Amino acid sequence: MCGIAGIYSPTLSPADREAAVARMVQRQAHRGPDDRGYYSRGEITMGMCRLAIFDPANGRQPMTTPDGRFTIVFNGAIYNHRELRAGLEAKGWSFRTQCDTEVLLAAFAHHGPDCLPCLRGMFAFAIWDERERTFFAARDPLGIKPLYYARLPGAGLIFGSELSALLVSGYVSREIDPASAGEYLAWFSVPAPRTIYQGIANLPAGHCLAIDAQGTLRTRAWWKMPAPAQPSRVAGNYQEFIHGLRHQLEDTIHAHRVADVPVGAFLSGGMDSTAVVALMARAGGARLKTFSLVFGEAGYSEQASARLAAQACDTDHTEDLLTGARVAADLPQILASFDQPTGDGINTYYASQMARAGGVTVALSGLGGDELFGGYPSFRDLPRLQRCLPFWRKLPAGLRHSLVARLQGSNNTRARKLADFLSQARDLHELAALQRRVLPEGQRLALLAPEARRQAERLGPTHPMLDDFASELAGADPFQIISGWELRTYMTDTLLRDSDVFSMAHSLELRVPFVDRVLLEWLWPQPAWFKYDPRRTKAALADATADLVPAALRNRPKQGFSLPFAKWMLADLRPFLEETFSPGSLAACPWLDATEVANLWHRYTTQSDPRAWSRVWTVAMLVAFANRRQA
């Protein structure tokens, strides 16, 4: 795991490029405390800081092929590097290290971009071709590892693993994009390819970028969701499916455990993390270290379930009590680790801190299980709404408008979200495209200043990738459509991005075995009723691990992992929020309507809708981010 950075520019001097890239690498030092390296030749300068996972002594970067043609900087892990290595050795490649970076470099040298579908792992990498004077970069299929870039004058490009790295280069603007601020208020995060900053792009998941010898830049998708109908890969019955699923789960756990450093796991006590831990423990090796956050507030902590799972799996278990007072004290450090505002992810910050302090360099997480096995309410609720839409559309327009207006005027968050569904959605894709909205559309527009509001109205209330994702999921069944939307939006743009930022803040490599291309491509064509039973939460995952996971955990209702923010925001976090929503603080946000934002906070303190906390916190994080002095 690393932080990578670079500048391609035919006009900047090597000295200017090298100084800027050195600043960029220094800014990302937390991502790779073990080593640093640089490469500069012709019109390219690249650098990296390394967290050594495979072959720590020899896997230095940037790495160049023996003939000097290709040079790579790489952030991530290729789990099947040993298998790929054997095939490349058979083609005559002679390896000098035991690390995955050299295998990736050799695979690209042999196959070019055609090597991408062969890679199993998480990655963002950039390669310079010295002979052809071309540049290539790519990101993994589901966006586990980030890659940000901006165009420079004279056909140039600057890239890095964090936005903050690009900012310290001195060659990009720090100006917040009002349109992106509006998008953030809708989705908890800024969907790719936008970022919060004007002129800086987020290379979408499963995409690659190339610059030819003439300086022309192009991006394209190299991976898309699998075809929905693949009869040859479908299990004949449920038992055959569960047998196959167990094999696939064991396979992905085996792949994600590969490392030359200590590996542990997050353990919340839910079905997803418990299944990961149980499968890891069954695979043998040294006693597994597991880590759980616990809370003093009743109804939030899953301490008992996590302890039961740890005991059943015989792990070396560590708990960390998280309080509102502690979060309040740590907020300056947490905000400093943001490279974009987010309304989520603080749990990952503390779990990663605990795991790193507990002696592991790599940790596995259960992230992705909800998206694959129907763990969210959307899998139940959206098909019901879809069935109601034809009847709703047959109602007289005046009646529909009256009902929507009544819902929009409600103080109930769920009612206002229903109003958005009824007023905007015509089919399941549009329902799914609205599902992850944070603020109801009327409230979001009211919070924006006039120019930002006009931009938001032009972009519309649905997800910016609606047409692209609907096309990609053409022919999919309802379960696949909802799963695909959850995978491609909330998981990629919020959960995975936050997991990367907050784990790397503590120099921890976080791996997500459910977010695995091989597992997804096997699971995708299986019948929906094999993967999802609305009467039993995560039934397929529970049945596939029935011999490993205690019945008390397999059969308990899904709780969902949530921090007690609804309580903390009116207690320990209140001074921070009072300051954040003060006139002086809001003055740093000219794209927000200061009066409406202040009213949002006032209503939260005087009304009793605990579900509203996430909306208020999301706005607070945007305001705090705008006020933060970038290092």
Side-chain angles (χ1 to χ4, degrees):
M1 197 64 63
C2 306
I4 62 174
I7 297 176
Y8 164 83
S9 174
T11 57
L12 287 176
S13 71
D16 287 343
R17 292 198 318 262
E18 289 160 13
V21 171
R23 292 193 296 271
M24 295 169 72
V25 170
Q26 173 60 33
R27 182 62 182 83
Q28 301 178 108
H30 51 278
R31 301 184 70 93
D34 298 329
D35 193 17
R36 295 188 191 184
Y38 300 91
Y39 171 92
S40 189
R41 184 172 295 184
E43 52 266 63
I44 189 77
T45 299
M46 300 192 295
M48 59 80 62
C49 49
R50 182 183 180 217
L51 179 65
I53 304 297
F54 296 117
D55 194 4
N58 301 305
R60 301 201 68 196
Q61 296 183 43
M63 188 176 288
T64 303
T65 53
D67 63 3
R69 178 177 175 182
F70 296 103
T71 299
I72 188 172
V73 286
F74 163 48
N75 170 31
I78 306 300
Y79 304 129
N80 63 336
H81 69 96
R82 289 169 183 159
E83 296 89 332
L84 295 174
R85 177 191 183 99
L88 292 162
E89 285 177 330
K91 296 178 184 294
W93 191 274
S94 179
F95 287 90
R96 299 166 288 174
T97 75
Q98 296 295 318
C99 75
D100 56 341
T101 303
E102 188 179 12
V103 173
L104 174 56
L105 180 62
F108 189 90
H110 272 275
H111 305 294
D114 290 342
C115 74
L116 292 172
C118 301
L119 304 177
R120 182 179 194 177
M122 52 182 182
F123 55 83
F125 66 86
I127 289 182
W128 172 249
D129 184 339
E130 175 68 15
R131 189 181 76 188
E132 300 295 328
R133 322 300 296 173
T134 59
F135 175 86
F136 181 85
R139 194 173 174 208
D140 63 66
L142 290 161
I144 305 170
K145 292 289 103 183
L147 189 66
Y148 301 105
Y149 69 95
R151 294 174 184 256
L152 298 177
L157 176 87
I158 183 170
F159 69 90
S161 296
E162 293 187 2
L163 288 168
S164 56
L166 273 69
L167 297 181
V168 299
S169 72
Y171 292 109
V172 297
S173 171
R174 294 173 177 263
E175 187 172 353
I176 288 178
D177 182 355
S180 294
E183 294 280 83
Y184 167 80
L185 292 179
W187 308 108
F188 247 160
S189 60
V190 181
R194 286 185 184 273
T195 70
I196 195 66
Y197 294 109
Q198 291 188 4
I200 306 180
N202 178 3
L203 185 66
H207 278 61
C208 58
L209 175 155
I211 302 177
D212 63 23
Q214 288 71 48
T216 302
L217 186 153
R218 294 184 176 89
T219 63
R220 65 175 177 86
W222 69 266
W223 185 88
K224 293 185 178 181
M225 300 296 288
Q230 302 172 56
S232 62
R233 303 191 64 187
V234 174
N237 55 58
Y238 185 69
Q239 288 307 314
E240 182 182 332
F241 166 75
I242 291 301
H243 177 78
L245 177 58
R246 174 60 173 265
H247 171 76
Q248 295 294 328
L249 293 171
E250 290 178 344
D251 178 62
T252 191
I253 293 297
H254 173 76
H256 284 74
R257 285 193 66 179
V258 174
D260 296 328
V261 293
V263 178
F266 292 173
L267 180 58
S268 70
M271 187 63 224
D272 300 332
S273 66
T274 300
V276 168
V277 166
L279 289 161
M280 291 177 73
R282 183 183 183 277
R287 193 177 184 213
L288 180 64
K289 291 186 175 183
T290 54
F291 305 91
S292 296
L293 291 177
V294 298
F295 311 103
E297 290 81 1
Y300 289 90
S301 184
E302 295 184 274
Q303 183 179 46
S305 297
R307 285 182 176 179
L308 176 59
Q311 182 179 11
C313 299
D314 189 30
T315 70
D316 180 1
H317 189 57
T318 300
E319 296 176 349
D320 191 14
L321 177 65
L322 189 58
T323 66
R326 182 176 169 193
V327 173
D330 291 343
L331 271 174
Q333 290 75 34
I334 294 171
L335 287 167
S337 68
F338 283 16
D339 71 343
Q340 294 198 74
T342 178
D344 205 356
I346 288 180
N347 57 314
T348 305
Y349 178 91
Y350 284 104
S352 300
Q353 183 184 67
M354 173 176 36
R356 195 65 164 112
V360 303
T361 310
V362 174
L364 272 60
S365 160
L367 192 158
D370 285 321
E371 290 78 2
L372 294 185
F373 299 105
Y376 293 129
S378 55
F379 288 90
R380 177 195 65 236
D381 296 342
L382 296 189
R384 292 175 179 173
L385 275 170
Q386 180 195 20
R387 290 191 291 270
C388 293
L389 285 178
F391 302 100
W392 167 255
R393 293 294 174 188
K394 290 179 181 178
L395 294 176
L399 178 59
R400 284 189 278 119
H401 293 156
S402 175
L403 291 172
V404 166
R406 184 176 301 178
L407 290 169
Q408 288 172 334
S410 169
N411 289 327
N412 184 280
T413 301
R414 290 177 66 88
R416 285 182 289 174
K417 188 166 186 176
L418 178 60
D420 282 349
F421 281 138
L422 295 176
S423 61
Q424 303 293 336
R426 295 166 296 179
D427 59 23
L428 186 56
H429 282 290
E430 293 186 349
L431 287 169
L434 290 163
Q435 165 62 22
R436 286 296 174 178
R437 288 294 304 263
V438 179
L439 288 158
E441 182 64 358
Q443 188 178 24
R444 177 179 80 113
L445 294 176
L447 290 169
L448 294 170
E451 178 55 33
R453 187 182 311 136
R454 284 190 287 270
Q455 293 188 52
E457 289 171 337
R458 282 195 294 269
L459 291 171
T462 57
H463 196 277
M465 299 302 290
L466 172 61
D467 292 340
D468 290 336
F469 290 160
S471 175
E472 187 174 342
L473 293 166
D477 64 42
F479 181 89
Q480 289 170 325
I481 289 172
I482 299 167
S483 177
W485 273 95
E486 294 286 11
L487 288 163
R488 294 296 241 170
T489 57
Y490 179 55
M491 187 188 77
T492 294
D493 288 324
T494 302
L495 298 181
L496 289 175
R497 193 205 67 182
D498 289 350
S499 292
D500 172 80
V501 167
F502 290 128
S503 62
M504 293 311 300
H506 300 291
S507 305
L508 179 82
E509 177 171 302
L510 187 59
R511 297 181 178 179
V512 281
F514 287 125
V515 189
D516 175 64
R517 177 184 58 80
V518 175
L519 172 62
L520 174 63
E521 291 176 350
W522 178 86
L523 193 61
W524 192 253
Q526 306 299 330
W529 55 91
F530 287 178
K531 295 177 282 189
Y532 174 66
D533 182 346
R535 299 163 301 178
R536 292 177 58 213
T537 303
K538 308 281 181 64
L541 186 58
D543 290 345
T545 57
D547 59 320
L548 304 177
V549 177
L553 297 179
R554 285 186 281 113
N555 298 327
R556 80 182 185 101
K558 176 181 172 61
Q559 178 174 330
F561 189 90
S562 178
L563 276 65
F565 271 94
K567 297 185 176 183
W568 292 348
M569 287 168 60
L570 297 176
D572 297 292
L573 296 177
R574 186 160 186 161
F576 163 78
L577 291 166
E578 294 283 4
E579 172 59 28
T580 298
F581 291 124
S582 68
S585 177
L586 292 173
C589 309
W591 19 263
L592 291 178
D593 184 308
T595 300
E596 283 296 327
V597 173
N599 286 340
L600 175 75
W601 169 237
H602 176 72
R603 286 194 298 270
Y604 182 74
T605 62
T606 56
Q607 298 176 3
S608 56
D609 181 5
R611 288 177 54 89
W613 77 263
S614 62
R615 284 81 181 165
V616 177
W617 186 253
T618 296
V619 178
M621 290 297 96
L622 177 62
V623 176
F625 182 86
N627 277 274
R628 188 193 70 184
R629 178 175 293 178
Q630 297 281 358

